[in-house]
């Protein structure tokens, strides 16, 4: 059984926070980072939602409510590892993940290889199974005004367990 999941996340840029994307701290020329209950890693959050959607386990807010103490200031890559364990325990395997980051600043081309390395290690994927692209919104909307960064993710999972066939 093949299942597709999609994820989307957007967080506002603020002063005084590190900019974390794909588990990697990135330099922002205006010294801005993403605001949120966790480390606000919108790329990892989009991947989490894509996996949760494909497995039918809900969304990041249902699995990790913001009101829970363990979620506050959590590292998003640790949350991803928890979601992966749930998916794997249900018999799911990941075929691939395709991601797009929407950001006016900073330019991300030099950081993408490290993001891919970190996320592939956590997801136990080969590099050719995870794609990360970055684009701008041509100065339109909150991303274009450098007020936020957003990310999209799509994943294809397979489950051959007998429980999944029912």
């Amino acid at each position: 059984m093949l299942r597709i999941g999609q994820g989307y996340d957007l967080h506002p840029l603020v002063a005084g926070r590190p900019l974390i994307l794909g588990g990697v701290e990135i330099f922002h020329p205006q010294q801005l980072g993403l605001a949120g209950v966790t480390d606000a890693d919108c790329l990892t959050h989009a991947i989490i939602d894509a996996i949760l959607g494909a497995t039918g386990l809900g969304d990041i807010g249902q699995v990790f409510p913001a009101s829970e103490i363990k979620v506050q200031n959590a590292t998003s890559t640790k949350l991803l590892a928890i979601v992966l364990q749930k998916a794997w325990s249900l018999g799911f395997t990941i075929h691939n993940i395709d991601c797009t980051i929407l950001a006016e600043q900073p330019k991300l081309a030099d950081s993408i290889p490290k993001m891919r390395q970190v996320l592939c290690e956590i997801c136990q994927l080969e590099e050719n199974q995870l794609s990360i692209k970055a684009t701008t919104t041509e100065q339109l909307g909150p991303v274009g005004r450098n007020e936020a960064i957003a990310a999209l993710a799509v994943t294809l999972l397979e489950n051959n367990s007998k429980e999944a066939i029912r």
Side-chain angles (χ1 to χ4, degrees), residues 12-79:
L13 283 160
V14 296
R17 294 265 308 198
L19 175 56
I20 310 291
L21 291 170
V24 176
E25 187 165 346
I26 297 169
F27 172 76
H28 192 290
Q30 296 171 329
Q31 299 180 351
L32 300 175
L34 296 172
V37 175
T38 65
D39 62 7
D41 179 344
C42 64
L43 174 58
T44 303
H45 291 184
I47 293 170
I48 289 170
D49 264 349
I51 293 168
L52 289 171
T55 59
L57 293 174
D59 63 44
I60 193 169
Q62 292 170 316
V63 176
F64 303 109
S67 59
E68 288 188 11
I69 299 288
K70 67 181 180 181
V71 174
Q72 296 172 13
N73 298 312
T75 303
S76 296
T77 52
K78 289 183 182 174
L79 301 179

Side-chain angles (χ1 to χ4, degrees), residues 20-26 41 43-44 77 101 108-122 127 130 132:
I20 310 291
L21 291 170
V24 176
E25 187 165 346
I26 297 169
D41 179 344
L43 174 58
T44 303
T77 52
I101 303 168
L108 298 170
D110 292 341
S111 301
I112 287 174
K114 181 64 176 169
M115 287 185 243
R116 284 180 78 190
Q117 178 185 7
V118 168
L119 292 169
C120 282
E121 185 175 318
I122 294 165
E127 191 172 306
L130 189 137
I132 301 173

